[in-house]
Amino acid sequence: MFVYADNAATTSVSKTALEAMLPYLTQNYGNPSSLYSFGQKAAEALQSARETVAGCINADPREILFTSGGSEADNQAIVSAAKLGARKGRKHLISTRFEHHAVLHTLAKLEKEGFEVTLLDPHADGVIRLEDVEAAIRPDTALVTVMFANNEIGTVQPIAEIGALCRSRGVPFHTDAVQAAGHMPIDVKAMNIDMLSMSGHKFHAPKGVGVLYARRGMVLTNLIEGGAQERGKRAGTENVAGIVALAAALKESCEHMEENTARILPMRDKLFAELAKIPHSKINGSLAHHVPGTVNMCFEGIEGESLLLLLDDNGICASSGSACTSGSLDPSHVLLSIGLPHEVAHGSLRLSIGEYNTMEEIDHIIETVPKVVAYLRGMSPVWDELQKGQRQHLI
Ligand SMILES: *Cc1c(COP(=O)(O)O)cnc(C)c1O
């Protein structure tokens, strides 16, 4: 049996998205900047996609900028707010310790350029506290950026509350909503969000296309110079087919959000309930504030990487830490940020399921993981020491 349980890393392209994009790869291949009607067909498709995306998050179409993905949107949002702030003498940026590297590395670069960065720690439940954001805001704060939902542990942050706070203080607020878009309701007006990032491939559109929503009045800095595409804020001939697919996929996900959630939750809950029976295991991140499909657990005495390889042998695609960090042996910065000791964080497993998964697949995971954990513990010197009492159990 093949089970794809890594939907937080990427998703398959939906039939709807594929069918929507195909004509723009075949017969309607015009350049949207061309003046003849053939090119204008592509321009109309872009406009229609912009309206669709705006409609899904209660934005104005003019506030939607298409990018090459979530990383570019994060980079542009943060750099823009920093540059704008610096012009007014504000050089302080607030974020969290468990952001995606697209955010953390952009902040680190700005720090080298003379900005001051405050990274807030999430609490042990994986949630950032409003009062911590409030306490960090200073007169020279140029930006608050807090992710909507964490990509490794799935916890959802109090975005509307942080938005209201930032609006009342006159501080621009950006959220990396890559894990939330298409999976949870988003209303940029009601939530007082000034800038927001999305990525198509996390909701069944192709890879390499994303969205930066920027509220009217937000001054954006270009990352890419050239032609006047995207209102002059992002040069380069648009990825028309990808953008059309993104809009179609987002619309489909938003229209079916309730039924998708109703399909995913029983699978996720069964996974948690069954895997939590494994001794010395721990669920990471509070389930009270959670995206539907992400399950993150730690198993003491084993290495996440070995677990993944054995799961792969059993046809299961899962992850340990995020896709971007796997390959390095450092434990996940997200798990460390919620206070897990290094030894425990090493034994982590992320299963992220979607509406295409089935209960049979969940049962296959539930059957396989305990066997694999037991097998690895049987070979683990750390587990041996734990058994002999030469080492204390941490979970
Ligand atoms: C996947 C992801 C990104 C990066 O998006 P890309 O389109 O792959 O560049 C950024 N932030 C979060 C939270 C993500 O999960």
Side-chain angles (χ1 to χ4, degrees):
M1 189 182 241
F2 174 76
V3 182
Y4 185 75
D6 203 12
N7 286 274
T10 197
T11 59
S12 62
V13 174
S14 73
K15 194 165 172 283
T16 307
L18 183 63
E19 280 172 3
M21 81 189 286
L22 275 177
Y24 296 92
L25 295 169
T26 52
Q27 65 265 35
N28 298 334
Y29 56 82
N31 187 322
S33 298
S34 301
L35 289 180
Y36 41 77
S37 54
F38 183 58
Q40 286 311 298
K41 265 190 202 167
E44 280 159 26
L46 278 185
Q47 179 55 21
S48 157
R50 215 179 293 285
E51 285 164 14
T52 301
V53 171
C56 291
I57 60 168
N58 194 22
D60 186 283
R62 284 168 296 186
E63 298 173 319
I64 302 298
L65 201 74
F66 292 111
T67 66
S68 67
S71 299
E72 185 186 335
D74 284 341
N75 274 254
Q76 189 165 14
I78 295 166
V79 168
S80 297
K83 294 278 147 81
L84 183 67
R87 268 183 257 151
K88 301 178 190 163
R90 298 173 164 202
K91 297 193 79 173
H92 176 232
L93 309 165
I94 300 173
S95 188
T96 78
R97 208 170 288 286
F98 72 164
E99 297 291 315
H100 190 273
H101 284 132
V103 168
L104 289 177
H105 290 173
T106 304
L107 292 169
K109 192 172 115 185
L110 288 165
E111 206 167 24
K112 284 203 190 99
E113 293 172 15
F115 287 85
E116 199 184 322
V117 177
T118 301
L119 293 181
L120 303 173
D121 283 311
H123 284 216
D125 60 0
V127 181
I128 294 289
R129 294 297 186 271
L130 182 67
E131 48 275 27
D132 293 345
V133 181
E134 188 161 24
I137 294 179
R138 312 192 312 212
D140 64 339
T141 302
L143 174 72
V144 170
T145 174
V146 176
M147 70 198 320
F148 206 115
N150 184 274
N151 47 306
E152 287 186 37
I153 54 177
T155 50
V156 175
Q157 308 308 312
I159 293 303
E161 290 80 356
I162 298 173
L165 168 70
C166 291
R167 188 62 55 86
S168 77
R169 297 294 185 84
V171 179
F173 173 48
H174 166 254
T175 183
D176 173 344
V178 172
Q179 290 292 330
H183 306 286
M184 304 192 69
I186 298 177
D187 183 324
V188 291
K189 287 201 179 75
M191 295 172 164
N192 289 301
I193 297 168
D194 295 310
M195 292 186 285
L196 174 143
S197 309
M198 291 189 230
S199 174
H201 75 101
K202 305 289 174 76
F203 51 78
H204 301 293
K207 296 159 189 61
V209 60
V211 170
L212 171 59
Y213 150 80
R215 189 167 69 86
R216 281 180 80 186
M218 287 303 306
V219 183
L220 293 179
T221 299
N222 288 43
L223 300 183
I224 300 176
E225 303 292 348
Q229 291 91 354
E230 298 302 289
R231 302 172 69 79
K233 292 300 164 200
R234 204 276 179 182
T237 302
E238 298 87 344
N239 174 4
V240 180
I243 290 168
V244 167
L246 180 147
L250 185 63
K251 182 163 176 261
E252 186 177 44
S253 296
C254 291
E255 282 173 358
H256 295 96
M257 199 177 284
E258 271 181 41
E259 63 187 85
N260 288 346
T261 303
R263 218 186 118 66
I264 294 166
L265 283 183
M267 295 194 276
R268 179 198 79 182
D269 290 343
K270 188 169 181 190
L271 257 185
F272 267 131
E274 293 301 319
L275 297 187
K277 290 180 185 164
I278 296 175
H280 301 287
S281 66
K282 181 184 183 310
I283 292 171
N284 298 316
S286 155
L287 290 182
H289 313 275
H290 217 90
V291 284
T294 303
V295 172
N296 191 306
M297 295 187 66
C298 284
F299 304 102
E300 202 176 15
I302 63 169
E303 289 288 338
E305 278 74 14
S306 328
L307 181 57
L308 291 191
L309 292 178
L310 289 179
L311 290 180
D312 187 25
D313 288 345
N314 286 278
I316 300 168
C317 303
S319 153
S320 164
S322 70
C324 324
T325 47
S326 46
S328 83
L329 280 175
D330 291 336
S332 140
H333 69 287
V334 173
L335 298 180
L336 296 182
S337 81
I338 59 169
L340 292 189
H342 276 246
E343 305 92 290
V344 176
H346 268 300
S348 70
L349 172 69
R350 178 186 73 181
L351 296 158
S352 44
I353 56 176
E355 64 272 26
Y356 298 164
N357 288 112
T358 63
M359 210 45 117
E360 288 70 43
E361 293 175 347
I362 300 306
D363 289 338
H364 179 59
I365 300 175
I366 289 169
E367 227 174 80
T368 309
V369 173
K371 283 189 211 159
V372 169
V373 169
Y375 173 75
L376 288 172
R377 280 177 172 170
M379 306 194 304
S380 157
V382 172
W383 185 252
D384 190 46
E385 286 172 28
L386 286 164
Q387 294 311 97
K388 290 180 181 149
Q390 293 162 351
R391 197 188 254 268
Q392 294 289 315
H393 279 290
L394 297 171
I395 55 175

